[in-house]
Amino acid sequence: MIEILLELLKAIGRMFMNPLLYLSILMAIVLGYVRVKRERKFFKIRILWGWTELIGLIKEGIWFALMISVLTLLFGLTQSIELLFFVTAFSILGLLLYNFHLLSPIVLMGLSLGSLMVMYDQHWSFEWLGLTIQGVDVMEGAAVTSALVAGLLLIAESRLIKKHGMNYASPMIEKSKRGLNGVAFFTKKLWLLPIFFVVPGQAIDAYFPWWPQFSLNHHQFSLVLFPFVVGFQQLTRRSLPLYVYPKLSRAVLILGELVLIGGLVGYFYPIAAVVTVFAGAFFRLLISYIFKVRERRDVYAVSAHPSGVMIAAVLPDSPAEKMGLQAGEIIRKVNGMEVHNELELYKALQINAAYCKLEVLNHKNELRLTQHEVYSKDHYRIGLLVVE
């Protein structure tokens, strides 16, 4: 048991030897800096703290990583060092290219599995820092475990998009073809999922001879805590993130379930797992493309409106948030006065320094009333960002 505990500690230590960990941390810092700079450019104030992306990098995905790790260890889903090497390489490439569509788990698995197949077919190999990388016969089980792990990670990706994606939807002002101001919402986010993988090595087989294994024909295993990076980016214009992200999340969830089923079928018919991984990668990119094309139209869900002041964003923990105000809603009256621009809005707020009473049109064009405490002579205290 002491040897197993030592192996666990070594597995954790191996994660800190992976350059992908540090590059993802650096990129999370950059994402926060770029977002804050963009928000201050358009609205003179940031919406979220600049370190929010870094804090959420591990915090938001840790429970998913723990659950997937339990499953990979429980069922002994082995992964070759060669496959993890290529996942690391393609993850770094996606980060450097600043294209997070490449950082979907199934896309990374597809690229990595394809590389192993080509190297195996061409009998290629190379050395990197003393490690020999060579092709693997994916029909011997690598495709099965890749499909199963990719399916689990896709399901985690869908849940992360649904639960946290909208929180990072940052507004920015664009000009429509008619010269009017419209608001687009842009999300670019990374999640780090440290997952335990079983790899060919030592220490476990001696104590657990019943340990299930797929494909690698080895009798000894060791553990690696691998920093799997999941990336997400999406731009919305004609629809609010509130409505787009749940649909996108649902599409990714269904794809993840299908990939998981394909991996299970691949246990009996290995070719099915190979097809599943490559088809899954294609359809994940297709999902991103479809949602991207839908938002290309020169129509804005949030733009200047003649009937009142359109809300572009709401600051966290502000009176506006506590009143339940949302981006895309229209403020018609403040303290009984009609408002049509930001200046009129804040003048009307000074009428009552204790309470602010708003008449708001929601997304369904239904009228509702709300009120909350506000502070006089404080331009941003109510927490509203508006578009004129």
Side-chain angles (χ1 to χ4, degrees):
M1 292 304 297
I2 292 177
E3 192 171 355
I4 293 175
L5 290 175
L6 288 174
E7 189 63 31
L8 287 171
L9 292 175
K10 289 179 182 178
I12 296 173
R14 289 173 184 128
M15 183 182 72
F16 291 97
M17 297 173 61
N18 194 322
L20 180 58
L21 172 66
Y22 303 101
L23 184 58
S24 63
I25 291 174
L26 177 62
M27 185 59 69
I29 296 173
V30 171
L31 290 175
Y33 171 78
V34 171
R35 177 186 52 76
V36 169
K37 186 177 181 181
R38 181 174 61 246
E39 291 169 355
R40 284 178 173 162
K41 172 184 176 182
F42 292 117
F43 299 100
K44 306 297 189 294
I45 190 173
R46 62 168 174 79
I47 297 175
L48 296 175
W49 190 37
W51 296 96
T52 304
E53 279 81 356
L54 179 60
I55 294 172
L57 179 69
I58 298 178
K59 180 181 177 182
E60 293 170 356
I62 190 65
W63 290 109
F64 294 104
L66 180 60
M67 288 186 287
I68 295 174
S69 293
V70 169
L71 292 174
T72 59
L73 296 180
L74 181 63
F75 293 102
L77 300 183
T78 57
Q79 288 290 5
S80 68
I81 290 295
E82 289 84 358
L83 186 134
L84 294 181
F85 172 84
F86 278 111
V87 170
T88 299
F90 286 118
S91 297
I92 291 175
L93 180 63
L95 290 171
L96 294 178
L97 292 177
Y98 208 56
N99 186 341
F100 290 3
H101 293 304
L102 298 177
L103 295 177
S104 176
I106 188 65
V107 176
L108 293 173
M109 283 295 188
L111 292 171
S112 301
L113 204 66
S115 300
L116 291 178
M117 293 176 66
V118 171
M119 291 186 66
Y120 182 80
D121 183 66
Q122 300 297 321
H123 305 288
W124 292 342
S125 65
F126 62 91
E127 287 193 5
W128 185 79
L129 297 179
L131 179 66
T132 301
I133 305 298
Q134 56 188 2
V136 173
D137 185 0
V138 298
M139 294 298 182
E140 291 294 324
V144 176
T145 55
S146 296
L148 293 174
V149 171
L152 292 172
L153 285 167
L154 270 175
I155 293 172
E157 178 187 1
S158 73
R159 300 302 86 191
L160 287 168
I161 292 172
K162 182 177 182 179
K163 187 175 182 180
H164 300 289
M166 194 177 65
N167 297 335
Y168 296 90
S170 177
M172 55 185 181
I173 296 177
E174 297 181 340
K175 286 287 185 182
S176 68
K177 292 180 180 179
R178 295 182 296 173
L180 301 176
N181 285 338
V183 175
F185 296 89
F186 185 57
T187 300
K188 206 172 183 75
K189 183 69 175 73
L190 291 175
W191 291 288
L192 188 66
L193 276 65
I195 297 174
F196 281 101
F197 285 111
V198 182
V199 298
Q202 300 177 353
I204 295 182
D205 186 59
Y207 298 95
F208 300 103
W210 45 265
W211 193 278
Q213 40 183 307
F214 294 119
S215 75
L216 294 178
N217 296 324
H218 286 269
H219 299 290
Q220 294 177 318
F221 301 90
S222 61
L223 294 177
V224 170
L225 185 59
F226 185 79
F228 218 108
V229 177
V230 177
F232 171 66
Q233 67 180 62
Q234 181 64 45
L235 179 70
T236 62
R237 292 186 180 91
R238 64 186 295 267
S239 306
L240 291 165
L242 176 66
Y243 302 111
V244 174
Y245 290 7
K247 294 179 181 178
L248 194 155
S249 171
R250 177 67 176 171
V252 175
L253 175 63
I254 294 173
L255 179 61
E257 292 170 343
L258 293 175
V259 170
L260 201 57
I261 293 172
L264 294 174
V265 173
Y267 180 72
F268 303 99
Y269 305 99
I271 188 63
V274 176
V275 173
T276 294
V277 172
F278 291 138
F282 171 78
F283 282 108
R284 179 62 186 93
L285 292 174
L286 182 61
I287 290 171
S288 295
Y289 178 75
I290 290 173
F291 277 86
K292 180 179 179 180
V293 170
R294 286 179 180 176
E295 299 299 323
R296 279 181 177 173
R297 300 179 185 178
D298 190 41
V299 177
Y300 291 86
V302 177
S303 60
H305 202 279
S307 62
V309 177
M310 176 72 79
I311 300 174
V314 175
L315 300 184
D317 301 319
S318 64
E321 184 183 62
K322 293 171 183 176
M323 283 189 284
L325 299 179
Q326 295 180 325
E329 293 186 323
I330 301 171
I331 300 175
R332 293 185 56 184
K333 291 184 179 180
V334 177
N335 293 327
M337 292 184 58
E338 291 189 359
V339 294
H340 298 89
N341 54 54
E342 188 175 17
L343 180 61
E344 292 179 358
L345 170 67
Y346 284 100
K347 280 185 177 179
L349 285 174
Q350 307 307 313
I351 295 176
N352 191 333
Y355 278 88
C356 147
K357 298 181 180 179
L358 303 182
E359 186 177 295
V360 182
L361 283 176
N362 64 17
H363 299 154
K364 296 180 180 179
N365 212 33
E366 298 171 341
L367 187 65
R368 67 183 178 91
L369 302 175
T370 184
Q371 65 181 24
H372 198 273
E373 293 181 356
V374 293
Y375 299 87
S376 61
K377 300 179 181 179
D378 197 338
H379 184 73
Y380 285 110
R381 201 59 175 268
I382 191 175
L384 282 176
L385 304 183
V386 302
V387 57
E388 298 183 287

